[in-house]
Amino acid sequence: MPDRYYTFRQGAVQFFGIDTNVNSPWKKQLAWLEQNLAASDAAWKIVFGHHPIYSSGFYGNTQAFIDDLSPLFAKYNVQLYLCGHDHDYERSKDIQGTTYIVHGGGAHSRPVGKQATTAYAIAKRSFVVLEIYDREILTEAVDTDGKVFDRGKIALKS
């Protein structure tokens, strides 16, 4: 990582890495994130951090992140948030225009439940593949045997 929080662009996709640790300079980082989201003309905006915002796993939802980040994501059309921390896989339904994926299945898995926002959840060692096209992002969750066990689609909103 080049810094505690940073952004980079690959074609039509702009990525925003944020530091979700408790010792991060949160207010300064939120101002930076809003400024950079507002300035972005990327068709696709993907934010990633370590901790979940919405999760049915061991740690559950993070209300402070829901309060601080979800309104920014809706305002600036962030289509996807990626994180780990909970040792499971969970893909949310569309929540105000954003899909949230917990992909913390690289180590020992923990049980995961379901909540109203859950599209799919499972305690399984896995990784996530993103295929990004002009009008959609296709997501696949792949287990350690190479089998796809979940697929999602995020359509580009005009």
Side-chain angles (χ1 to χ4, degrees):
M1 294 179 7
D3 211 334
R4 291 190 81 163
Y5 45 94
Y6 57 97
T7 185
F8 65 94
R9 188 160 176 166
Q10 290 287 326
V13 184
Q14 187 157 0
F15 294 89
F16 302 84
I18 60 173
D19 181 354
T20 58
N21 288 302
V22 294
N23 66 346
S24 71
W26 192 244
K27 298 272 187 218
K28 182 178 173 186
Q29 184 176 189
L30 279 177
W32 170 89
L33 181 61
E34 181 160 23
Q35 178 183 17
N36 280 272
L37 287 171
S40 176
D41 64 354
W44 295 105
K45 296 178 187 80
I46 298 175
V47 177
F48 60 94
H50 179 75
H51 297 89
I53 297 174
Y54 292 95
S55 173
S56 302
F58 181 79
Y59 295 101
N61 292 342
T62 307
Q63 191 61 50
F65 293 160
I66 292 171
D67 295 344
D68 289 344
L69 295 172
S70 293
L72 285 180
F73 293 178
K75 182 177 181 179
Y76 296 107
N77 197 28
V78 171
Q79 297 95 343
L80 181 60
Y81 177 76
L82 301 169
C83 70
H85 195 58
D86 269 337
H87 290 201
D88 57 51
Y89 168 81
E90 183 173 7
R91 178 176 52 84
S92 78
K93 299 173 184 174
D94 181 305
I95 303 171
Q96 297 181 315
T98 304
T99 298
Y100 297 81
I101 295 179
V102 176
H103 57 98
H108 175 74
S109 63
R110 293 189 189 116
V112 62
K114 279 187 133 182
Q115 55 187 329
T117 57
T118 303
Y120 189 94
I122 191 168
K124 183 178 265 203
R125 291 177 53 204
S126 59
F127 62 92
V128 173
V129 175
L130 303 176
E131 293 182 40
I132 303 173
Y133 299 98
D134 290 341
R135 306 288 310 156
E136 65 187 8
I137 294 176
L138 302 178
T139 68
E140 290 184 336
V142 183
D143 68 17
T144 55
D145 294 323
K147 294 186 176 106
V148 175
F149 62 87
D150 181 52
R151 287 185 168 89
K153 181 163 88 169
I154 303 166
L156 183 65
K157 294 177 179 73
S158 33

